[in-house]
Amino acid sequence: MMKLAVLAALAGSAAAFAPAQTGRVSTAVSETKADLEVLAKKLNPVVGFYDPLNLAEAEFWGTSNEATIGFLRHSEIKHGRIAMFAFVGYIVHANGIKFPWAMQMDGTPFPDANGNPPALWDTVSDDAKWQIFGLIAFLEFWSELSTPNHKHYMAGGKP
């Protein structure tokens, strides 16, 4: 009986940390220039809509304006994330921080370039560089994939 009481108490306390079930709010990601102007004025009333290159009216590769806006949105998010990742990586290597285990299967340790990230890249083996580029290519392929459950970002899907 005691085990049953403890089990019931644990089950009840675990439910307290479960996320609340709420209805999903659908977000429209296919936007026109007019939608962007309204959104820009709402988010930053001081600057408002600012598009000096007039990209909001462009139609890349013969697609619609909404598809081009989706491409530009996805591109901006992706390149912003890559820039943040690169900055952190540069700072980590410039401060000499490295993993405590071997870099390669044969026991080769991580190289030490005395806080010089470009020199560190030059000391990395070609096999390791190809592995990095292979991962990047796979992630690019994966981000371009569209399935019935995941629409492509140029077709109204989430970037």
Side-chain angles (χ1 to χ4, degrees):
M1 187 67 175
M2 182 66 165
K3 290 181 183 177
L4 185 60
V6 170
L7 184 63
L10 288 175
S13 64
F17 296 104
Q21 296 295 327
T22 58
R24 287 195 88 153
V25 178
S26 64
T27 304
V29 290
S30 288
E31 293 182 338
T32 62
K33 181 179 178 183
D35 296 331
L36 293 177
E37 290 172 349
V38 170
L39 186 63
K41 196 65 174 163
K42 177 181 163 190
L43 296 175
N44 191 348
V46 175
V47 176
F49 184 72
Y50 182 71
D51 184 17
L53 298 176
N54 205 20
L55 293 174
E57 292 181 4
E59 293 182 357
F60 295 171
W61 307 289
T63 60
S64 68
N65 181 253
E66 289 82 8
T68 301
I69 290 172
F71 169 79
L72 292 171
R73 174 180 289 118
H74 179 77
S75 179
E76 183 175 3
I77 291 170
K78 180 172 63 172
H79 289 100
R81 289 175 179 164
I82 290 169
M84 290 184 280
F85 185 71
F87 174 78
V88 170
Y90 193 94
I91 295 300
V92 165
H93 291 302
N95 288 303
I97 300 169
K98 49 188 167 181
F99 293 116
W101 52 81
M103 182 175 81
Q104 295 182 355
M105 297 301 286
D106 65 359
T108 306
F110 283 92
D112 187 16
N114 296 325
N116 186 351
L120 181 66
W121 177 254
D122 292 339
T123 61
V124 173
S125 70
D126 288 340
D127 290 339
K129 290 177 184 175
W130 280 110
Q131 186 178 11
I132 293 168
F133 293 139
L135 175 67
I136 293 168
F138 171 76
L139 293 174
E140 278 293 316
F141 170 77
W142 189 263
S143 75
E144 293 294 324
L145 207 60
S146 86
T147 63
N149 296 334
H150 177 70
K151 287 172 64 176
H152 193 266
Y153 57 86
M154 287 182 73
K158 242 177 161 174

